[in-house]
Amino acid sequence: MMTTDEINRRALDSSRRALGIAEETRNTSAGTLVELHKQGEQMDRCVAKMDGVHAELDNATWVLRGMRSVTGAVANYFSSPPATAAAGRSAPAATTKAAPKAAPNNRYTEIRRDVQQKQTEEDEVDRTLEQLARAVGDIRRMGEETGEELRRHEPKLDCLQESVLRADARLRRANHDIKRIA
């Protein structure tokens, strides 16, 4: 049968291991959030670049219209060439730790020391469990933030995909027009 001391030591060891795992998870979650924010910014830049591609395609279509026929050249003469486009975001992090205490000597003080040591171990278990609870709360909040960031990425990806497909179709049309002119 296990003694109270053994149970307390096992509980302390177990809570320390759990806290270490929770802190590692929290750090991984923070890193994931940072990367997701970077990817969101990258998608914003891609969308801006695709806007630029579409602006260039507008200009190319305008030029090709003028090259294709006299009517197109006259239409271009009375219209101005199309314009151009541009885009930007950041992230979190954090951790904590705890440390144990010491005690005196003599038979009475030895008993007192044992009681204090047990109390100290119990206090440390409590502190470790409180830190673990905070870490789990942080991880939960980071998980929610990650979900939110992913939900923000979804429409960006849809917009980017649609923009790339439109640009592809427009480039095919422009290439077809160039081949007809040449």
Side-chain angles (χ1 to χ4, degrees), residues 103-176:
N105 242 341
N106 174 327
R107 180 68 190 136
Y108 168 73
T109 55
E110 194 174 305
I111 292 170
R112 205 166 114 213
R113 188 195 71 217
D114 287 346
V115 169
Q116 286 175 339
Q117 183 177 358
K118 287 177 186 173
Q119 186 61 47
T120 302
E121 288 174 357
E122 289 174 9
D123 290 347
E124 187 171 353
V125 168
D126 289 345
R127 280 192 308 275
T128 305
L129 290 174
E130 287 170 6
Q131 290 175 331
L132 182 59
R134 280 193 301 274
V136 169
D138 289 347
I139 291 166
R140 187 194 95 246
R141 281 186 292 285
M142 284 189 248
E144 290 169 352
E145 285 182 44
T146 299
E148 209 32 60
E149 187 67 29
L150 289 172
R151 279 187 283 285
R152 283 193 296 271
H153 285 200
E154 201 173 324
K156 289 179 186 178
L157 287 170
D158 291 343
C159 176
L160 200 53
Q161 180 181 14
E162 184 209 321
S163 184
V164 168
L165 291 173
R166 274 186 320 168
D168 181 56
R170 292 180 70 189
L171 280 170
R172 288 176 194 271
R173 176 70 182 164
N175 282 336
H176 175 74

Side-chain angles (χ1 to χ4, degrees), residues 6 8 12 21 33 35 48 64 70 80 90 98 104 114 117 127 131 140 158-159 168-169 175 181:
E6 289 176 28
N8 283 343
L12 182 58
I21 291 168
L33 273 173
E35 286 304 313
L64 286 172
V70 173
S80 56
S90 195
D114 287 346
Q117 183 177 358
R127 280 192 308 275
Q131 290 175 331
R140 187 194 95 246
D158 291 343
C159 176
D168 181 56
N175 282 336
I181 291 170

Side-chain angles (χ1 to χ4, degrees), residues 17-73:
R17 281 192 307 274
L19 181 60
I21 291 168
E23 287 177 347
E24 184 178 326
T25 302
R26 180 172 37 192
N27 291 337
T28 300
S29 296
T32 300
L33 273 173
V34 167
E35 286 304 313
L36 281 172
H37 285 298
K38 286 179 183 177
Q39 289 174 3
E41 290 171 347
Q42 192 171 21
M43 280 189 273
D44 290 339
R45 287 190 299 275
C46 286
V47 167
K49 287 186 185 218
M50 286 306 299
D51 289 345
V53 166
H54 284 287
E56 292 297 327
L57 282 168
D58 289 343
N59 196 36
T61 301
W62 184 81
V63 169
L64 286 172
R65 179 178 68 184
M67 294 172 67
R68 201 174 315 134
S69 66
V70 173
T71 314

